[in-house]
Amino acid sequence: MISLVPLTAQARPSSPGELDTPRVQIYTGYSYWHPIDAKINNVAFPDVKFGAIGSATYFLRPWLGVTAQFGSHVDDVHGPEGNMDLGLQFQTSAHRFTPFFHVLGGSTFLGGPANNGRKYGWNGTAGVGLDWVPTYHHDWLAVRLFQGDYEYNHVDFGPASADRLSGGIAKNNTLNASTGLVFRFGGRHPADMQAQMSCSANRVDNIAGERVSVNSQILGFDVLKPMQYTWHTTGGMILGEGSDSVIIDTAGLPAGDYHVTGLVTQGKHRSAQCDAAFSVRQPQPPTVSCVASPTSIAPGATATVTATGMSPDNRTLVYAFNSTSGRLNVNGNTATITAPVSRDINTVTSSSTTITVTCNARDDHGQMASASVTIPVTLKETYTTDPNLAPLPLQNDMCSVSFERDRRRPARVDNEGKACLDDVALSLQRQQDSTLVVLGDHTSRERAAMAAERAVNVKLYLTQEKGIDASRIQVRVKDGGIAQVQNIYLSVGSTFNEEGRAINERAVVHHSESYGRPGAATTSRPHRRTTKRKPKAATQSPGTTAAPLPSSTSIQPPAGQVAQPK
């Protein structure tokens, strides 16, 4: 089984402070001054369409700077408006775009309207903006796409005159929109930095067959320009060559230590490489322990056998049970064993015997561990007077094959079912005169034909893949309401309890592959809808009687099986 843990690797973008944030930037541009609520003595301040703005920012951090801003808007009629502010600017970088906002405060220089002369006051400014940095050498020039500032101006022109044409206090709310160029100095460009590359494997200790994901990180490269990646490994197959991350397929690798080397190049003079190590080891087999409770039983009594398996590699385990006698009912990692009851002719003795239950645990690599537990059975005195009394039926319920996982192919024997049937086949091969009853079942939402198809598919796997004689396997079905097939092992002298009903195996329709491999052989073809024709009357000689035709609903038993009388 090959397991894959995907891990997407990306080149680490250049951090703003190291690559494209300058130490100092200077901004100059055109400005438009628009009063929102600005008037004095009921005379409104007009728009000033022509103005200039400039600022200088010194960056303490890649995202934090100290800004001094100057602006001037001249109106020939009412006088100029200007400000000198100082504050903080905050910004970040997204590829070639730099959004920012700033908070400033300082003095303002305001004149008019009416007959007021020019006077100084104070103001506060809050604004946002967006710069775009073209791909010029060292990113020294940027374009300020826009800057929008809200300004509050407060200027006291003194007491208002009687005609209210001078004096008063201006409390102006205005907007200031500008655009221009930004000159950037003192920043570091990727070309000024040493090219670096690091890589690592997501798994250091791996089992042969698993896949290893190797990712890389780079520094000192221009992420907007193309880069070429080249990878080499000392073991395994590289998948995803040419990207910044690769996957190493370790299928078939012997145990040992291996290395993966990566190389990234950009242009002719910029490159870096890295190395990652991983190891491969063979899978470790599981272990299993087997305990019974109670530790001894009487004839006809039951005991619970629990198998506890552990995989050093944390693989999924499948359990199976075998017993030397008695009847087993398996459910996951537990099984219930029922001690047999024997009736001997005129026996007046007391003795004891034992039942040995074997617990098997198999992982998805096919490695198996076994353990066994012995359960003493005390045979009490029995009295029998009928010499013709037959022995009680004895049977052994082995593991069941579940069909609940594959909803698209509900009759197909999957890998977990094959692991169960491998143990069943091993028991049949050890005792050549034993037989097996395959009992198919279906849920209430399925048709009864599904139980027959499942049971026949189990028989096909045992006969075609494991070489078990078909005459030793009896196929029956029941309506128990569970999507499974029970395997009931009959040792020499054992009898089946006649559960379920026999079927005609040749009439079973296979809707998909029989078991977990493509192209599995089947022994029947899908039904074709045909038109029933009425049988022609047979010509008979005078004095003879025509034999009745067989019923169309009768089911013939499979080859080698005798129909049971009802």
Side-chain angles (χ1 to χ4, degrees), residues 148-160:
D149 292 332
Y150 163 77
E151 294 182 0
Y152 175 77
N153 306 112
H154 187 100
V155 179
D156 187 356
F157 291 96

Side-chain angles (χ1 to χ4, degrees), residues 403-415:
F403 292 86
E404 295 181 349
R405 295 172 180 80
D406 196 343
R407 300 302 177 91
R408 295 188 299 105
R409 296 169 292 188
R412 173 181 175 269
V413 180
D414 59 13
N415 290 338

Side-chain angles (χ1 to χ4, degrees), residues 290-293 295 304-306 322 355-359 371-375:
C290 196
V291 296
S293 178
T295 56
T304 300
V305 180
T306 303
N322 293 318
I355 299 176
T356 301
V357 179
T358 302
C359 310
S372 61
V373 61
T374 300
I375 306 173

Side-chain angles (χ1 to χ4, degrees), residues 165-516:
L165 295 178
S166 64
I169 299 176
K171 301 178 181 179
N172 297 346
N173 295 289
T174 63
L175 291 179
N176 188 0
S178 65
T179 183
L181 298 178
V182 179
F183 301 91
R184 302 151 54 92
F185 306 99
R188 298 181 67 192
H189 189 268
D192 301 327
M193 302 180 62
Q194 181 180 2
Q196 302 176 31
M197 181 183 187
S198 63
C199 55
S200 61
N202 69 314
R203 292 181 177 179
V204 178
D205 185 19
N206 305 271
I207 299 175
E210 293 180 336
R211 293 186 174 185
V212 182
S213 179
V214 180
N215 63 308
S216 66
Q217 290 184 332
I218 61 172
L219 188 65
F221 290 85
D222 190 342
V223 296
L224 299 181
K225 295 182 180 180
M227 289 170 281
Q228 293 77 38
Y229 289 86
T230 306
W231 298 90
H232 298 281
T233 178
T234 57
M237 179 181 297
I238 296 178
L239 306 178
E241 178 69 40
S243 62
D244 54 4
S245 65
V246 292
I247 294 173
I248 309 299
D249 188 355
T250 63
L253 277 183
D257 298 327
Y258 300 92
H259 289 267
V260 179
T261 302
L263 173 66
V264 58
T265 58
Q266 189 173 62
K268 297 181 179 180
H269 307 291
R270 202 159 192 80
S271 65
Q273 64 180 11
C274 65
D275 181 82
F278 66 93
S279 62
V280 172
R281 59 179 175 84
Q282 295 301 318
Q284 303 181 47
T287 59
V288 66
S289 61
C290 196
V291 296
S293 178
T295 56
S296 62
I297 54 177
T302 61
T304 300
V305 180
T306 303
T308 304
M310 184 176 64
S311 171
D313 298 327
N314 295 323
R315 316 304 299 184
T316 302
L317 299 179
V318 178
Y319 296 92
F321 295 83
N322 293 318
S323 67
T324 55
S325 62
R327 178 174 179 176
L328 272 174
N329 187 11
V330 179
N331 183 16
N333 69 322
T334 63
T336 302
I337 180 69
T338 304
V341 178
S342 62
R343 296 183 181 181
D344 298 331
I345 300 175
N346 299 322
T347 300
V348 193
T349 62
S350 177
S351 60
S352 63
T353 184
T354 60
I355 299 176
T356 301
V357 179
T358 302
C359 310
N360 300 315
R362 185 194 303 269
D363 63 15
D364 53 2
H365 288 287
Q367 300 185 110
M368 187 175 69
S370 298
S372 61
V373 61
T374 300
I375 306 173
V377 180
T378 302
L379 302 180
K380 298 181 179 179
E381 295 181 354
T382 59
Y383 297 88
T384 304
T385 57
D386 187 359
N388 297 321
L389 185 62
L392 291 178
L394 302 176
Q395 61 187 44
N396 184 3
D397 288 351
M398 305 189 72
C399 60
S400 299
V401 179
S402 175
F403 292 86
E404 295 181 349
R405 295 172 180 80
D406 196 343
R407 300 302 177 91
R408 295 188 299 105
R409 296 169 292 188
R412 173 181 175 269
V413 180
D414 59 13
N415 290 338
E416 184 174 340
K418 291 195 296 182
C420 163
L421 295 179
D422 291 346
D423 293 324
V424 173
L426 184 61
S427 299
L428 292 173
Q429 292 166 354
R430 288 174 177 172
Q431 189 173 347
Q432 294 296 326
D433 49 2
S434 60
T435 59
L436 182 72
V437 177
V438 176
L439 187 59
D441 200 350
H442 66 95
T443 65
S444 59
R445 299 186 302 271
E446 299 173 326
R447 297 183 179 180
M450 184 60 67
E453 184 177 355
R454 289 168 177 162
V456 170
N457 287 346
V458 167
K459 181 177 179 180
L460 284 174
Y461 180 77
L462 291 173
T463 56
Q464 295 180 0
E465 297 295 325
K466 296 301 176 181
I468 305 301
D469 188 354
S471 62
R472 299 174 60 193
I473 304 176
Q474 181 184 164
V475 178
R476 302 179 74 86
V477 297
K478 67 173 183 177
D479 303 316
I482 303 177
Q484 69 175 9
V485 170
Q486 294 178 258
N487 298 293
I488 303 170
Y489 179 86
L490 302 178
S491 57
V492 180
S494 301
T495 57
F496 183 54
N497 61 2
E498 301 299 331
E499 184 180 5
R501 60 186 181 276
I503 64 170
N504 183 0
E505 299 178 37
R506 297 180 180 178
V508 174
V509 178
H510 293 263
H511 296 87
S512 66
E513 57 185 1
S514 301
Y515 44 87

